[in-house]
Amino acid sequence: MRPSNRRSGPGGGDALAALAREPLRPYYLVHGEETFLVDRALRVLRERLLPGRSGTWRSVWADDPAQSVGAALGDLRSPSLFGGPEVLVVRHAEALRDGVQEDVLGALPALSAGGTLVLVARVADLRRRVFAACVRAGAAYGFPAVEPRELPGWVTRLAREQGSEITSPATHDLLERSGGDLGVLAGEVGKLVLRAGVGVRIEAEHVREVVKA
């Protein structure tokens, strides 16, 4: 069973917007197959939770036996020696062992704005109590794989973020040549903006010059 909530919006755009504007929370679940958008979500959280780059951002992997999620969680609940907010990111959270999952679940109510937990999972199975708790609290943000029909809108958005527009024929050619990986598309759009110039509309000929077939 996978999460189903309003934050898992079309192409992940709704979830990104929610992360950027909603009041900060003591814990988050960021999940989904679209890794490009998951990474974007983490950047949004880092900018909001650690303004001015003050504080500590620590990542651990739940499936790495050399790392102790429980110990990292204990550190998060203790005052930092360096001051400033602390953020603990647990990647591959779907691999949390049952005992550690219960420790995480028990820690959620005690977390504060000064110590934030971010769980990152490719698939957030609601049969796991910690994921279900995040969904119930409205703290789950989903980024499912972008559907093909949504890709043209993302190309337009990526171009506008860099100060340019892109024509429909150019978008079509770009998708034909690059496929549907958002990370790849973002890189190619960046090259196209450099080729055409910021503020200059990207045409199909720019795509043919820059993007290999």
Short mmCIF file of all heavy atoms in Angstrom, two decimals, residues 3-18 31 34 37 140-147 149-150 154:
data_model
loop_
_atom_site.label_atom_id
_atom_site.label_comp_id
_atom_site.label_asym_id
_atom_site.label_seq_id
_atom_site.Cartn_x
_atom_site.Cartn_y
_atom_site.Cartn_z
N PRO A 3 1.33 5.64 -0.12
CA PRO A 3 0.65 6.84 0.34
C PRO A 3 -0.24 7.43 -0.73
O PRO A 3 0.10 7.44 -1.91
CB PRO A 3 1.81 7.79 0.69
CG PRO A 3 2.97 6.89 0.94
CD PRO A 3 2.78 5.73 0.02
N SER A 4 -1.37 7.94 -0.31
CA SER A 4 -2.26 8.66 -1.23
C SER A 4 -2.74 9.90 -0.50
O SER A 4 -3.54 9.82 0.42
CB SER A 4 -3.44 7.78 -1.63
OG SER A 4 -4.35 8.49 -2.42
N ASN A 5 -2.21 11.05 -0.89
CA ASN A 5 -2.63 12.29 -0.23
C ASN A 5 -2.45 13.45 -1.20
O ASN A 5 -1.86 13.32 -2.26
CB ASN A 5 -1.84 12.53 1.06
CG ASN A 5 -0.34 12.58 0.84
OD1 ASN A 5 0.13 13.44 0.13
ND2 ASN A 5 0.39 11.67 1.43
N ARG A 6 -2.94 14.59 -0.82
CA ARG A 6 -2.98 15.73 -1.74
C ARG A 6 -1.58 16.21 -2.11
O ARG A 6 -1.42 16.93 -3.09
CB ARG A 6 -3.75 16.87 -1.09
CG ARG A 6 -3.07 17.45 0.14
CD ARG A 6 -3.89 18.57 0.75
NE ARG A 6 -3.28 19.11 1.94
CZ ARG A 6 -2.33 20.03 1.95
NH1 ARG A 6 -1.85 20.47 0.81
NH2 ARG A 6 -1.83 20.49 3.07
N ARG A 7 -0.56 15.84 -1.36
CA ARG A 7 0.77 16.33 -1.66
C ARG A 7 1.42 15.58 -2.81
O ARG A 7 2.42 16.02 -3.32
CB ARG A 7 1.65 16.25 -0.41
CG ARG A 7 1.05 17.01 0.75
CD ARG A 7 1.97 17.02 1.94
NE ARG A 7 1.22 17.41 3.12
CZ ARG A 7 0.87 18.64 3.40
NH1 ARG A 7 1.18 19.61 2.58
NH2 ARG A 7 0.18 18.92 4.48
N SER A 8 0.87 14.43 -3.16
CA SER A 8 1.42 13.70 -4.29
C SER A 8 0.77 14.21 -5.57
O SER A 8 0.02 13.52 -6.23
CB SER A 8 1.16 12.20 -4.12
OG SER A 8 1.80 11.72 -2.97
N GLY A 9 1.01 15.47 -5.89
CA GLY A 9 0.34 16.14 -6.99
C GLY A 9 0.94 15.79 -8.33
O GLY A 9 1.92 15.07 -8.44
N PRO A 10 0.34 16.30 -9.41
CA PRO A 10 0.81 16.00 -10.75
C PRO A 10 2.28 16.35 -10.93
O PRO A 10 2.68 17.50 -10.74
CB PRO A 10 -0.09 16.87 -11.65
CG PRO A 10 -1.32 17.09 -10.83
CD PRO A 10 -0.84 17.17 -9.42
N GLY A 11 3.07 15.34 -11.29
CA GLY A 11 4.48 15.58 -11.58
C GLY A 11 5.29 16.05 -10.39
O GLY A 11 6.43 16.43 -10.53
N GLY A 12 4.75 16.01 -9.19
CA GLY A 12 5.49 16.45 -8.02
C GLY A 12 5.48 17.95 -7.81
O GLY A 12 6.01 18.43 -6.81
N GLY A 13 4.90 18.71 -8.72
CA GLY A 13 4.93 20.17 -8.60
C GLY A 13 4.18 20.67 -7.39
O GLY A 13 4.62 21.61 -6.71
N ASP A 14 3.04 20.07 -7.08
CA ASP A 14 2.27 20.48 -5.92
C ASP A 14 3.05 20.26 -4.63
O ASP A 14 3.02 21.08 -3.71
CB ASP A 14 0.95 19.72 -5.85
CG ASP A 14 -0.01 20.12 -6.95
OD1 ASP A 14 0.28 21.10 -7.67
OD2 ASP A 14 -1.05 19.45 -7.11
N ALA A 15 3.74 19.12 -4.56
CA ALA A 15 4.50 18.81 -3.35
C ALA A 15 5.66 19.77 -3.16
O ALA A 15 5.94 20.20 -2.04
CB ALA A 15 5.00 17.37 -3.42
N LEU A 16 6.34 20.14 -4.24
CA LEU A 16 7.44 21.11 -4.14
C LEU A 16 6.92 22.46 -3.65
O LEU A 16 7.54 23.10 -2.80
CB LEU A 16 8.13 21.28 -5.49
CG LEU A 16 9.14 20.21 -5.90
CD1 LEU A 16 9.62 20.46 -7.31
CD2 LEU A 16 10.31 20.17 -4.93
N ALA A 17 5.79 22.88 -4.21
CA ALA A 17 5.21 24.17 -3.80
C ALA A 17 4.82 24.14 -2.33
O ALA A 17 5.02 25.12 -1.60
CB ALA A 17 4.00 24.49 -4.67
N ALA A 18 4.26 23.02 -1.88
CA ALA A 18 3.86 22.91 -0.48
C ALA A 18 5.08 22.97 0.44
O ALA A 18 5.06 23.65 1.47
CB ALA A 18 3.09 21.61 -0.26
N HIS A 31 9.16 11.05 -0.39
CA HIS A 31 9.19 9.72 -1.01
C HIS A 31 8.84 9.80 -2.49
O HIS A 31 8.20 10.75 -2.95
CB HIS A 31 8.21 8.78 -0.29
CG HIS A 31 6.78 9.20 -0.43
ND1 HIS A 31 5.96 8.76 -1.45
CD2 HIS A 31 6.01 10.04 0.33
CE1 HIS A 31 4.75 9.30 -1.31
NE2 HIS A 31 4.76 10.08 -0.24
N GLU A 34 10.77 9.60 -8.51
CA GLU A 34 11.37 10.66 -9.32
C GLU A 34 12.52 11.29 -8.54
O GLU A 34 12.34 12.28 -7.82
CB GLU A 34 10.33 11.70 -9.70
CG GLU A 34 10.78 12.69 -10.76
CD GLU A 34 11.32 12.00 -12.00
OE1 GLU A 34 10.52 11.42 -12.76
OE2 GLU A 34 12.55 12.06 -12.19
N LEU A 37 13.27 15.12 -8.54
CA LEU A 37 12.39 15.95 -7.72
C LEU A 37 12.61 15.71 -6.23
O LEU A 37 12.48 16.63 -5.42
CB LEU A 37 10.94 15.71 -8.11
CG LEU A 37 10.57 16.13 -9.54
CD1 LEU A 37 9.08 15.87 -9.81
CD2 LEU A 37 10.91 17.59 -9.79
N ALA A 140 3.92 14.08 4.75
CA ALA A 140 4.43 13.25 3.65
C ALA A 140 4.31 14.01 2.33
O ALA A 140 3.25 14.58 2.03
CB ALA A 140 3.65 11.94 3.58
N TYR A 141 5.37 14.00 1.55
CA TYR A 141 5.42 14.73 0.29
C TYR A 141 5.88 13.75 -0.79
O TYR A 141 7.02 13.26 -0.75
CB TYR A 141 6.36 15.92 0.39
CG TYR A 141 5.91 16.92 1.43
CD1 TYR A 141 6.15 16.71 2.79
CD2 TYR A 141 5.21 18.07 1.07
CE1 TYR A 141 5.71 17.60 3.76
CE2 TYR A 141 4.78 18.98 2.01
CZ TYR A 141 5.02 18.74 3.37
OH TYR A 141 4.59 19.63 4.31
N GLY A 142 5.00 13.46 -1.75
CA GLY A 142 5.27 12.42 -2.72
C GLY A 142 5.71 12.94 -4.08
O GLY A 142 5.20 13.94 -4.57
N PHE A 143 6.66 12.23 -4.68
CA PHE A 143 7.19 12.58 -6.00
C PHE A 143 7.21 11.33 -6.88
O PHE A 143 8.26 10.72 -7.09
CB PHE A 143 8.59 13.19 -5.85
CG PHE A 143 8.60 14.43 -5.01
CD1 PHE A 143 8.83 14.37 -3.65
CD2 PHE A 143 8.30 15.65 -5.58
CE1 PHE A 143 8.81 15.52 -2.87
CE2 PHE A 143 8.28 16.81 -4.81
CZ PHE A 143 8.52 16.74 -3.45
N PRO A 144 6.04 10.94 -7.37
CA PRO A 144 5.98 9.77 -8.25
C PRO A 144 6.64 10.06 -9.59
O PRO A 144 6.91 11.21 -9.93
CB PRO A 144 4.47 9.55 -8.42
CG PRO A 144 3.87 10.91 -8.24
CD PRO A 144 4.73 11.59 -7.20
N ALA A 145 6.92 9.00 -10.32
CA ALA A 145 7.52 9.16 -11.65
C ALA A 145 6.63 10.06 -12.51
O ALA A 145 5.41 9.94 -12.51
CB ALA A 145 7.69 7.80 -12.31
N VAL A 146 7.27 10.99 -13.21
CA VAL A 146 6.54 11.93 -14.04
C VAL A 146 5.98 11.19 -15.26
O VAL A 146 6.70 10.44 -15.93
CB VAL A 146 7.45 13.09 -14.49
CG1 VAL A 146 6.75 13.98 -15.51
CG2 VAL A 146 7.88 13.90 -13.27
N GLU A 147 4.72 11.40 -15.56
CA GLU A 147 4.10 10.75 -16.70
C GLU A 147 4.50 11.47 -17.99
O GLU A 147 4.78 12.67 -17.99
CB GLU A 147 2.57 10.78 -16.55
CG GLU A 147 2.08 10.00 -15.34
CD GLU A 147 0.57 10.05 -15.21
OE1 GLU A 147 -0.10 10.52 -16.16
OE2 GLU A 147 0.06 9.61 -14.17
N ARG A 149 2.90 12.64 -20.46
CA ARG A 149 2.09 13.81 -20.83
C ARG A 149 2.48 15.06 -20.03
O ARG A 149 2.14 16.18 -20.42
CB ARG A 149 0.60 13.51 -20.63
CG ARG A 149 0.22 13.19 -19.19
CD ARG A 149 -1.25 12.84 -19.05
NE ARG A 149 -1.60 12.41 -17.71
CZ ARG A 149 -1.84 13.23 -16.69
NH1 ARG A 149 -1.76 14.55 -16.89
NH2 ARG A 149 -2.13 12.77 -15.50
N GLU A 150 3.17 14.85 -18.90
CA GLU A 150 3.57 15.99 -18.06
C GLU A 150 4.94 16.55 -18.43
O GLU A 150 5.32 17.64 -17.97
CB GLU A 150 3.59 15.56 -16.58
CG GLU A 150 2.24 15.12 -16.07
CD GLU A 150 2.31 14.46 -14.70
OE1 GLU A 150 3.35 13.86 -14.38
OE2 GLU A 150 1.31 14.54 -13.97
N TRP A 154 7.13 20.31 -17.82
CA TRP A 154 8.37 20.40 -17.05
C TRP A 154 9.48 21.05 -17.87
O TRP A 154 10.30 21.82 -17.34
CB TRP A 154 8.79 19.03 -16.55
CG TRP A 154 8.20 18.70 -15.22
CD1 TRP A 154 7.17 17.84 -14.95
CD2 TRP A 154 8.57 19.28 -13.97
NE1 TRP A 154 6.88 17.85 -13.61
CE2 TRP A 154 7.73 18.72 -12.99
CE3 TRP A 154 9.52 20.22 -13.58
CZ2 TRP A 154 7.82 19.06 -11.63
CZ3 TRP A 154 9.61 20.56 -12.24
CH2 TRP A 154 8.77 19.99 -11.28
#
